[in-house]
Amino acid sequence: MKQLLYVMPGALFGAGLVLSGMTNPAKVIGFLDVAGGQWDPSLAFVMAGAIAVFGVMNQLIHRRSEPLMKGKLPGQWSDTGVTTQGLVGAAVFGLGWGLSGICPGPAIASLASGHVEIFVYITGLLMGMVVAQQVFDVDAPKSADSGDFQERLGDPVAS
Amino acid sequence: MDWAHFTPWSALLGGVLIGLATGLTLLLNGKIAGISGVLGRILRPQEDDSFWRLSFLVGLALGGALTVSLVPGAGAMVFPKTGGLLGILVAGVLVGFGTRYGGGCTSGHGVCGISRASKGGAAATVTFMVVAGLVVFATRVLVSGGAS
């Protein structure tokens, strides 16, 4: 039963992606093609709609102290600052997105479409993620041994 | 402007559903629904939450598939021809690398980040939008000599 509550938001997200047109690479490219004579600004409405709804929900949800199921709420506001790594990563992402018109969510939402391009794209996606994680140590687990280190040091007050 | 393909209402509806889904993910599970992160942290887990991640992604694929089969006209997919399958593979690698190295994608930085007043998220969103736009422009110029 709780599995349904894990699946359902994902399904709603997937439905939103399809209905919005984000799963159509041609539509994404049409949105990015600002300078072309055939600019399609539709996808701006996708992000606007999503931010409007989630922006409000984020505020309301943080009146609670914890989520409805097990887990913890992250802080109400993000504390992610602007970093060189962040900008470089965004630029590389933008390069791939501009070349294909596909980003991660729409790719997964389109898995059942049977298009070979989606399988090829996801293969590349996984490869790229692994490189970032293994070669550049991205997504490293939070230092799990900081607690142990402290224990090994001993309580600094009681010596 | 491409008025023939302009679909503001379905785009807005889709965006509202995405926002709602993102909110539900936060409310139910305390998680940020940035898709590159949901997937990426299965490859390199930081907590014991892979079951939630896999379930979410299964839902993503299911929701997409159901919508295509139930909604007339939904689910059209036209892929760029330039570069063929190798181009798509390279694009995937760039997106996979860039989204994890930079810590997010359109949903992670654009929707979640901006909604949560993330300076990094806003900067990332502007960056990937501008770069992607330049790439599309360059591709058009190089491939068809500027014709659209």
Side-chain angles (χ1 to χ4, degrees):
Chain A
M1 194 27 89
K2 89 171 168 198
Q3 190 167 13
L4 274 175
L5 290 174
Y6 289 173
V7 170
M8 181 270 290
L12 204 59
F13 201 111
L17 284 174
V18 170
L19 288 173
S20 67
M22 283 291 290
T23 53
N24 186 357
K27 197 153 178 77
V28 174
I29 289 173
F31 166 70
L32 295 168
D33 195 12
V34 179
Q38 296 297 304
W39 180 47
D40 176 4
S42 306
L43 297 185
F45 290 75
V46 183
M47 194 160 278
I51 290 172
V53 171
F54 179 60
V56 170
M57 287 182 82
N58 184 58
Q59 297 313 305
L60 295 175
I61 288 164
H62 278 98
R63 292 184 186 179
R64 301 179 50 84
S65 54
E66 44 186 37
L68 285 176
M69 300 170 72
K70 82 166 185 196
K72 292 200 302 274
L73 283 179
Q76 183 173 359
W77 302 111
S78 165
D79 58 8
T80 314
V82 183
T83 62
T84 312
Q85 179 170 340
L87 293 176
V88 168
V92 174
F93 164 45
L95 184 54
W97 193 35
L99 286 172
S100 62
I102 309 168
C103 63
I108 295 167
S110 302
L111 267 172
S113 69
H115 287 288
V116 66
E117 288 90 343
I118 291 297
F119 292 110
V120 168
Y121 179 88
I122 291 178
T123 303
L125 192 68
L126 294 169
M127 285 166 57
M129 287 187 172
V130 167
V131 169
Q133 292 173 338
Q134 300 304 324
V135 177
F136 293 85
D137 202 28
V138 162
D139 290 331
K142 317 273 187 257
S143 205
D145 58 27
S146 60
D148 294 342
F149 185 64
Q150 208 51 48
E151 268 166 14
R152 286 201 298 277
L153 265 188
D155 182 345
V157 174
S159 45
Chain B
M1 214 182 92
D2 188 358
W3 290 105
H5 291 111
F6 184 42
T7 56
W9 297 113
S10 54
L12 193 60
L13 173 63
V16 164
L17 290 179
I18 290 169
L20 185 59
T22 306
L24 283 171
T25 306
L26 186 66
L27 174 64
L28 290 168
N29 303 302
K31 298 288 193 181
I32 296 294
I35 307 300
S36 73
V38 175
L39 175 60
R41 296 200 175 113
I42 296 176
L43 298 174
R44 199 169 186 200
Q46 314 204 307
E47 292 171 51
D48 188 20
D49 59 6
S50 296
F51 179 67
W52 167 72
R53 288 171 193 285
L54 280 166
S55 302
F56 184 94
L57 296 178
V58 165
L60 193 56
L62 264 175
L66 274 170
T67 307
V68 171
S69 56
L70 294 174
V71 177
M77 295 182 81
V78 175
F79 295 92
K81 302 288 177 270
T82 335
L85 285 178
L86 181 60
I88 303 252
L89 181 70
V90 168
V93 173
L94 290 168
V95 170
F97 181 85
T99 52
R100 290 330 301 149
Y101 192 71
C105 59
T106 36
S107 49
H109 284 313
V111 178
C112 299
I114 290 176
S115 297
R116 293 161 49 75
S118 168
K119 297 196 191 76
T125 303
V126 169
T127 304
F128 63 67
M129 290 280 179
V130 167
V131 171
L134 286 169
V135 168
V136 167
F137 176 74
T139 308
R140 195 159 46 74
V141 166
L142 290 169
V143 169
S144 46
S148 49

